Amino acid sequence: MRAALRQRVGRARWALRVSEAAPRPRCVGPGSAPALRCWSCGSPLPGAEGPPRFCPGCRALQPPGPRPDLFRLMDCDRSFRIDAQQLQRRFRSLQRAVHPDRFGQRPPKEQYYSEQHSSLINKAYQTLLNPLSRGLYLLELNGVEPAQETDCDADSVFLTEVMEINEKLAEPKNEDILEEIETLIKGDLQEAKKLLGKMKYFANLEDKLKNKKIPS
């Protein structure tokens, strides 16, 4: 099972990049997208994405962006390695600022936006806290679609092991078998965590190699 996992992760290791979001233009010129404005008072809004925004004029909470970067939202680098305590502090800070309980006396639209933000922050926290979902999200950001169960190149040994585990789980309860399966799964998840953590280093090495091969 571990060999199959290594093979799958190896095909996608080039995709992970420790990158930063592209800088946003500071002004709006001819042909540029129109500046965003507050839904409540019409004041221009600084910035484009990131943490929940409040209008500098009327302090109304603004809606979340259409495709927010969860790493940027939670003030984390785009990396498989994160500081779980820092992530938790950020989560609590954001929830205090936008929790629906704080907007009970605000207009219905703003109450709706607070619910959207609260839900998004919960999703971001859970996604980045879990190693597997964090790794899959990094792949998604870099345009790599995770392999599906129906992929024709799925490793036959890996699929056989999964089938055998499912058959054991369908049998009458047996504590010894359950403990054996639990140990196996935990070991494979830890191996996956290590492999995903190494992927960013392979990506950096690949970039350096490509730059080295470019004619000077």
Side-chain angles (χ1 to χ4, degrees):
M1 185 180 293
R2 293 180 181 178
L5 180 61
R6 287 180 181 274
Q7 183 180 24
R8 284 179 175 274
V9 174
R11 289 199 297 266
R13 63 174 183 244
W14 57 269
L16 294 183
R17 300 289 190 272
V18 181
S19 61
E20 297 180 354
R24 300 284 175 173
R26 296 185 177 180
C27 59
V28 177
S32 301
L36 295 177
R37 293 185 174 275
C38 172
W39 62 267
S40 179
C41 70
S43 298
L45 298 174
E49 292 183 9
R53 287 176 300 174
F54 292 84
C55 173
C58 68
R59 299 303 301 164
L61 178 64
Q62 304 302 303
R67 290 183 61 84
D69 184 325
L70 302 187
F71 283 97
R72 188 174 182 184
L73 173 64
M74 304 306 291
D75 198 24
C76 296
D77 293 331
R78 274 195 185 185
S79 170
F80 185 75
R81 293 185 178 181
I82 63 170
D83 185 327
Q85 292 184 343
Q86 178 183 336
L87 178 66
Q88 186 179 62
R89 288 194 296 268
R90 175 68 169 174
F91 168 73
R92 290 175 176 173
S93 174
L94 290 176
Q95 283 291 22
R96 282 196 298 268
V98 303
H99 196 277
D101 289 347
R102 295 174 57 92
F103 293 83
Q105 303 302 318
R106 303 294 294 176
K109 180 179 287 190
E110 195 169 1
Q111 294 179 29
Y112 174 64
Y113 291 154
S114 73
E115 293 172 359
Q116 285 187 311
H117 278 292
S118 182
S119 176
L120 175 61
I121 292 166
N122 281 330
K123 173 187 175 182
Y125 177 69
Q126 295 299 331
T127 298
L128 300 188
L129 183 65
N130 181 277
L132 178 58
S133 58
R134 182 166 68 247
L136 293 174
Y137 181 59
L138 277 168
L139 293 177
E140 177 186 333
L141 289 176
N142 287 276
V144 177
E145 183 178 354
Q148 303 298 319
E149 294 180 0
T150 54
D151 282 357
C152 59
D153 63 344
D155 185 274
S156 58
V157 175
F158 173 79
L159 294 180
T160 300
E161 290 187 25
V162 172
M163 188 184 308
E164 291 175 351
I165 292 175
N166 279 320
E167 290 175 353
K168 289 180 179 180
L169 289 174
E171 296 174 358
K173 185 177 180 180
N174 183 307
E175 293 294 340
D176 292 336
I177 292 179
L178 293 179
E179 185 175 347
E180 176 186 349
I181 294 174
E182 183 179 20
T183 301
L184 175 64
I185 292 175
K186 286 184 177 179
D188 285 330
L189 288 176
Q190 288 301 316
E191 184 68 16
K193 178 179 178 179
K194 292 177 183 178
L195 290 173
L196 287 169
K198 292 177 181 179
M199 289 169 70
K200 68 174 184 177
Y201 295 104
F202 284 114
N204 288 336
L205 290 173
E206 185 179 39
D207 285 341
K208 291 179 180 178
L209 177 62
K210 288 180 179 179
N211 293 332
K212 198 75 174 180
K213 293 172 67 176
I214 298 176
S216 56

